[in-house]
């Protein structure tokens, strides 16, 4: 599973970072970034939750 964040849509809510800090982090500007574009199997279920919970729908499978 590969993911990406649409930087134009992200508003820095940080829900993804809270749900899966192994894959997401906030950059210096306070917006989410992907640490691991190729999501390891053990984090895929949590990343899918983060995708569903993103209020801006900024995270997508690439």
């Amino acid at each position: 599973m590969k993911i990406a964040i649409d930087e134009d849509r992200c508003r820095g809510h940080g829900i993804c970072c809270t749900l899966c800090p192994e894959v997401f982090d906030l950059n210096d500007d306070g917006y989410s970034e992907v640490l691991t574009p190729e999501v390891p199997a053990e984090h895929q279920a949590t990343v899918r939750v983060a995708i569903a919970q993103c209020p801006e729908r900024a995270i997508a499978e690439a």
Side-chain angles (χ1 to χ4, degrees), residues 11 15 17 21-22 24 28-30 41-42 44 46 50 61:
R11 295 292 172 249
I15 295 169
C17 300
E22 300 84 3
F24 301 101
D28 292 338
D29 294 324
E42 65 267 20
Q44 289 182 8
T46 307
E61 288 192 53

Side-chain angles (χ1 to χ4, degrees), residues 2-53:
K2 291 184 180 185
I3 59 167
I5 293 180
D6 183 337
E7 295 175 6
D8 293 330
R9 296 186 82 159
C10 180
R11 295 292 172 249
H13 297 286
I15 295 169
C16 56
C17 300
T18 301
L19 290 170
C20 196
E22 300 84 3
V23 175
F24 301 101
D25 197 8
L26 293 178
N27 65 22
D28 292 338
D29 294 324
Y31 297 101
S32 295
E33 64 182 359
V34 178
L35 299 174
T36 311
E38 184 70 43
V39 179
E42 65 267 20
H43 299 300
Q44 289 182 8
T46 307
V47 167
R48 286 190 176 95
V49 172
I51 290 169
Q53 294 296 315

